[in-house]
Amino acid sequence: MIQLIRGFKDILPGEVELWQEVEKTARSLFEDFGFREVRLPIMERTALFTRSIGENTDIVEKEMYTFPDRKGEMITLRPEATASVVRSYIQHKLYAVDPVQKSYTIGPMFRRERPQKGRYRQFYQINAEVFGIESPLIDAQIIFMLVTLFTRLSVTGLTANINSLGCPKCRPAYKEKLIEFLDGLSESLCSACNKRSSKNPLRVLDCKVPTCAESVKDAPSILDYLCPDCKDHFETVQDLLNKMGVEYIINKRLVRGLDYYTRTSFEIQTTALGAQNAVAGGGRYDGLINILGGPEIPGIGFAIGFDRLIDILSQNMEPRIRQPEVFIAALGDDCQKVAFEWTNALCAEGIKTEMDFSGKSLKALMKRANRLGARHVLIFGESEMKEGVAALRNMATKKQILVSLNDIVRNIIKNII
Ligand code: HAM
């Protein structure tokens, strides 16, 4: 038997209802905040990701599914959505109509990481991006929107971590200081961090290897190196969050795994998933639109790890599965043919209706109706056909009434609502 690819998974009925519910809640909330959906391709030219996420990141160095297409052009299954949202904004010159764009997108991403709990090679993100607003008000608003979504979904035990990563004016001086600090630590850093410490030193700060975490405890903090503009911006974000009642901690070691970030960055963390503690991550990326060939327009956004959110939710939430309103227990060929028409008519009226096509006994049909959780069963056999009535049974109260076969669809609807 051909099995699915490692790190990929099927989302089956029983679980999919939870996904649908989360998606519905997210869409409705985001739209209330003025976001509109964009649907973008899952493959892009490789250069889009190398240029935006950064050559020296784990994602670009070792996690992308990249291959030549039949004409030799390098293409990549998207490891994240932000780069594509930016590309489409530039490509369709959306900024010319209105530089402010708020969009969201939901879909699969691909990273060839080592699969483990909460980490998949195909995973889903719920992504929101805002272009064209420099004010810290929007930073606070999207964090508020994100936290509100978790509240609506009754997810608890989450901590919002925030940090500022500065800007091209202030970050280089910090980077230099950090490299200097890491220089003396090569003995105690893991081999990956030894490589990172000159090329991408900020990443060393959030290495999960215990000796690395211990070694960087006293590393210089970016927050001490922010230029006055970045400092102001970050302080305003904090003030606004305080006013909005959003709880957060300042995590000066929060650096994120993609190179495009500037200023505010944030992660919503959980302890419910072991090593994979980030349920959502995001931040500002004021230079990215320009780096990808567009005008100097700022951006900010986040992505929720949909799979991780579902992993947490399913620990204490049963998906709501819509039960059939009516199950038609039709006995015998002739009755089945007639009942088949009623079934379709009821479904078309928006009444979830099931019937059994196998011609089983009444006892077997009642068993099936019970298993499906049907609220009503319509019993329809030859004698009912002769008498011109069928028995409609309420499965909760066990009360049974007779409904006329004349205009039966209306009669059923009248009696079940
Ligand atoms: P990211 O932190 O790489 O950011 O991913 C966002 C979220 O996706 C993570 O917090 C995590 O929940 C989920 N995630 C990442 N990798 C996996 C995986 N292998 N398996 C399951 N879930 C995963 C970004 O992707 C940015 N584009 C976010 C963003 C949007 N920043 C600004 N706008």
Side-chain angles (χ1 to χ4, degrees):
M1 192 244 139
I2 301 167
Q3 305 250 344
L4 50 66
I5 309 169
R6 191 163 127 81
F8 287 60
K9 66 176 176 183
D10 302 322
I11 304 164
L12 302 177
E15 186 191 337
V16 83
E17 288 80 3
L18 213 48
W19 289 74
Q20 291 167 337
E21 207 170 311
V22 170
E23 199 170 316
K24 206 165 125 200
T25 312
R27 282 175 188 281
S28 135
L29 179 73
F30 292 1
E31 283 169 19
D32 288 344
F33 276 86
F35 286 71
R36 293 169 73 189
E37 186 178 10
V38 288
R39 298 190 185 192
L40 305 173
I42 59 160
M43 282 205 273
E44 296 272 6
R45 292 169 206 270
T46 303
L48 177 69
F49 301 116
T50 46
R51 214 184 290 169
S52 56
I53 299 171
E55 300 270 2
N56 297 316
T57 55
D58 285 355
I59 297 179
V60 170
E61 273 184 351
K62 49 189 191 203
E63 294 170 3
M64 295 201 306
Y65 284 94
T66 295
F67 46 90
D69 76 357
R70 287 175 185 263
K71 290 226 168 118
E73 189 186 355
M74 295 311 284
I75 50 179
T76 295
L77 283 175
R78 63 178 181 194
E80 61 112 46
T82 311
S84 302
V85 184
V86 171
R87 179 201 47 72
S88 79
Y89 176 74
I90 301 170
Q91 182 166 347
H92 303 290
K93 295 198 173 53
L94 299 179
Y95 52 83
V97 186
D98 181 357
V100 177
Q101 180 183 299
K102 299 195 222 169
S103 46
Y104 73 88
T105 191
I106 302 174
M109 310 293 151
F110 303 85
R111 295 183 195 174
R112 203 177 185 292
E113 296 187 77
R114 198 166 49 77
Q116 55 175 238
K117 187 174 175 191
R119 192 158 74 191
Y120 311 98
R121 288 179 172 176
Q122 175 176 335
F123 59 98
Y124 292 76
Q125 281 186 347
I126 303 175
N127 210 95
E129 313 289 352
V130 180
F131 302 149
I133 304 179
E134 202 180 348
S135 162
L137 289 165
I138 196 72
D139 305 39
Q141 192 182 33
I142 69 161
I143 295 173
F144 176 72
M145 181 172 88
L146 181 57
V147 170
T148 305
L149 177 63
F150 291 127
T151 311
R152 276 208 191 162
L153 294 168
S154 310
V155 187
T156 52
L158 300 180
T159 313
N161 288 242
I162 64 168
N163 194 16
S164 174
L165 294 176
C167 69
K169 266 195 286 175
C170 52
R171 202 182 322 166
Y174 170 68
K175 222 166 152 178
E176 238 170 70
K177 271 274 169 268
L178 186 61
I179 292 175
E180 234 171 71
F181 172 84
L182 295 173
D183 241 7
L185 295 177
S186 55
E187 299 273 286
S188 46
L189 296 180
C190 70
S191 63
C193 281
N194 267 312
K195 272 192 220 131
R196 287 179 191 131
S197 59
S198 58
K199 284 202 243 156
N200 202 351
L202 270 74
R203 285 299 289 167
V204 179
L205 296 179
D206 81 341
C207 179
K208 303 277 181 328
V209 175
T211 47
C212 295
E214 179 62 29
S215 313
V216 297
K217 247 182 26 209
D218 300 321
S221 160
I222 177 105
L223 297 179
D224 298 328
Y225 290 81
L226 296 181
C227 61
D229 285 348
C230 287
K231 197 163 179 279
D232 261 10
H233 191 99
F234 192 46
E235 280 171 2
T236 312
V237 173
Q238 292 168 57
D239 283 348
L240 291 165
L241 291 176
N242 293 340
K243 283 206 191 92
M244 292 164 127
V246 174
E247 284 179 31
Y248 61 88
I249 57 170
I250 295 173
N251 177 349
K252 60 185 174 125
R253 290 226 289 275
L254 180 75
V255 292
R256 314 275 301 119
L258 307 92
D259 279 356
Y260 50 62
Y261 290 109
T262 53
R263 295 193 166 173
T264 317
S265 54
F266 52 92
E267 243 173 48
I268 309 291
Q269 298 184 353
T270 172
T271 48
L273 294 175
Q276 301 314 313
N277 62 356
V279 189
R284 199 165 256 289
Y285 43 85
D286 290 345
L288 184 59
I289 294 172
N290 189 237
I291 288 171
L292 291 177
E296 280 284 354
I297 291 178
I300 181 166
F302 63 75
I304 301 167
F306 203 160
D307 311 66
R308 291 188 189 170
L309 179 55
I310 294 291
D311 287 347
I312 298 173
L313 278 172
S314 57
Q315 289 174 5
N316 46 24
M317 192 167 152
E318 284 292 315
R320 257 184 284 163
I321 296 165
R322 200 176 142 211
Q323 294 158 318
E325 283 301 330
V326 181
F327 180 92
I328 304 186
L331 302 156
D333 271 358
D334 292 344
C335 291
Q336 268 198 29
K337 278 190 196 121
V338 181
F340 179 64
E341 281 174 29
W342 301 341
T343 303
N344 291 332
L346 283 163
C347 291
E349 289 286 337
I351 308 290
K352 184 170 175 174
T353 305
E354 294 268 1
M355 70 173 279
D356 189 289
F357 298 115
S358 67
K360 286 192 184 121
S361 68
L362 182 60
K363 194 170 159 208
L365 294 183
M366 291 309 282
K367 226 169 155 181
R368 183 157 163 75
N370 261 322
R371 203 172 55 237
L372 292 171
R375 292 188 216 283
H376 302 88
V377 176
L378 186 81
I379 301 164
F380 180 55
E382 262 161 36
S383 59
E384 282 85 1
M385 178 109 90
K386 264 193 226 127
E387 282 155 32
V389 288
L392 183 66
R393 185 177 170 85
N394 182 319
M395 296 297 273
T397 61
K398 308 274 184 248
K399 270 203 195 126
Q400 201 159 299
I401 56 165
L402 292 176
V403 288
S404 162
L405 301 192
N406 274 335
D407 206 5
I408 186 152
V409 170
R410 288 290 131 222
N411 290 339
I412 293 173
I413 295 175
K414 231 175 27 213
N415 282 292
I416 62 171
I417 292 175

